Amino acid sequence: MDQNRMRRQQLQQQSKIPPRQSRVSDAYMGPGGDADDEDDFEDDLYGFDDAEPERLPTSVRRYHVRSDVKGNAGRVSGDVQTTGAYQGIGRASSVPRRATQVGIPTVSTGSTRRQRVNPAKAGGFGSEQPGRPRRFHWLFFVGLAMLTMLIGWVLLTTVANWWQVTQDDWHYGRPRTYQVDQMVGHNDSPSNPSHFIAINLRGQVEIIEFPGGDATKAKIYMGPHLIGPGQDLAPVTLAFQDVNGDGKIDMIVNVQGSHFIFLNTGTEFRPAPTS
């Protein structure tokens, strides 16, 4: 009995617990004052060092988890970092997924090395969406319109030239030939006018006159020589009128807007002098 009390006092001094009143121990003791009951009380009071720690309640339990990340379609998910008590980054989480988290991609928490991702290839901000039409600058449409007009002008010019040449072939033939009857006072009469033929022979203009329709008295007048590509297909026409006012009909040769005057001497035509 005395040894047990001495042992209790030593334990109280070591643990800095104020001494219990004797009535506590007496009250704990059985009706017979058995010392074993007192020993059991001391074991319950001072024997906590050897006991296993109690399990923490679930309300304060801490899990080492990683936040769920819901990435947009076509974008790279960013790294998630936690602060405070969450020190479990890099370890797999054992927390089950909530029932409402449907369709959220799982973030890899493995210890693999991070890789750099090219946003253009991963579908980030720098890449073009496949379904979005490409926009062009307004100058592109201006240049396209000018190019279309140029091609159209070339085609239109080509077609117009071809059509003009075709019409000349129908009217004047090849070589270009023009014929007309005109009374000019060279042994002719209204019933027998003189016959004129104008020919563009490989660029050389020639006029043939048959006075009074008589081929035996034919006269040839040399006109201008045309130089340039396609000049051998230029048609030549003739016109007759009094140019100098002497009362005689003069001859005018027309070639592509140019006019060459031949004056009437009464028996033949001579080129008008140039001033």
Side-chain angles (χ1 to χ4, degrees), residues 165-181:
V165 172
T166 302
Q167 285 185 330
D168 292 340
D169 290 341
W170 293 345
H171 289 87
Y172 305 104
R174 294 195 181 190
R176 297 292 187 253
T177 305
Y178 177 80
Q179 303 184 49
V180 63
D181 291 334

Side-chain angles (χ1 to χ4, degrees), residues 47-274:
F48 59 89
D49 293 335
D50 297 334
E52 295 181 358
E54 295 183 0
R55 182 178 180 182
L56 293 176
T58 58
S59 60
V60 296
R61 187 179 300 174
R62 296 176 179 177
Y63 297 98
H64 301 290
V65 298
R66 195 168 186 176
S67 301
D68 295 329
V69 176
K70 185 175 182 180
N72 295 332
R75 303 178 73 180
V76 181
S77 302
D79 295 333
V80 179
Q81 298 182 359
T82 57
T83 58
Y86 295 96
Q87 303 296 332
I89 298 178
R91 294 179 295 175
S93 174
S94 61
V95 181
R97 186 182 297 276
R98 295 195 298 269
T100 58
Q101 295 178 345
V102 178
I104 300 178
T106 304
V107 179
S108 176
T109 57
S111 58
T112 57
R113 184 178 179 182
R114 295 180 181 177
Q115 299 180 356
R116 295 182 178 180
V117 180
N118 188 356
K121 296 181 179 180
F125 293 101
S127 63
E128 295 182 357
Q129 298 181 1
R132 185 177 180 181
R134 185 176 180 182
R135 296 182 179 180
F136 297 93
H137 196 268
W138 64 271
L139 289 177
F140 171 79
F141 298 100
V142 173
L144 184 61
M146 295 179 64
L147 180 61
T148 304
M149 293 174 61
L150 179 61
I151 295 175
W153 179 80
V154 172
L155 293 177
L156 182 60
T157 303
T158 303
V159 172
N161 292 336
W162 171 83
W163 179 246
Q164 184 64 41
V165 172
T166 302
Q167 285 185 330
D168 292 340
D169 290 341
W170 293 345
H171 289 87
Y172 305 104
R174 294 195 181 190
R176 297 292 187 253
T177 305
Y178 177 80
Q179 303 184 49
V180 63
D181 291 334
Q182 180 67 36
M183 189 178 65
V184 294
H186 297 170
N187 298 324
D188 54 9
S189 62
S191 58
N192 293 314
S194 298
H195 186 74
F196 294 86
I197 300 175
I199 300 176
N200 181 358
L201 185 60
R202 294 187 294 273
Q204 178 63 53
V205 178
E206 299 179 1
I207 300 96
I208 303 174
E209 178 188 5
F210 299 98
D214 187 0
T216 59
K217 298 180 181 179
K219 299 178 181 178
I220 299 177
Y221 305 103
M222 301 300 295
H225 183 75
L226 306 179
I227 300 175
Q231 296 298 319
D232 56 334
L233 298 178
V236 180
T237 61
L238 302 176
F240 298 90
Q241 67 179 20
D242 187 3
V243 176
N244 53 4
D246 58 356
K248 299 177 182 178
I249 302 299
D250 302 320
M251 181 176 63
I252 303 173
V253 180
N254 302 314
V255 181
Q256 292 185 339
S258 299
H259 308 284
F260 302 91
I261 300 175
F262 288 78
L263 299 177
N264 189 354
T265 61
T267 57
E268 61 182 2
F269 292 98
R270 293 182 180 273
T274 58

Side-chain angles (χ1 to χ4, degrees), residues 1-9 35 38-39 42:
M1 184 70 178
D2 295 337
Q3 293 179 356
N4 292 333
R5 289 183 178 179
M6 292 177 61
R7 179 182 176 186
R8 183 177 61 185
Q9 291 178 359
E38 187 176 356
D39 293 339
E42 291 176 357

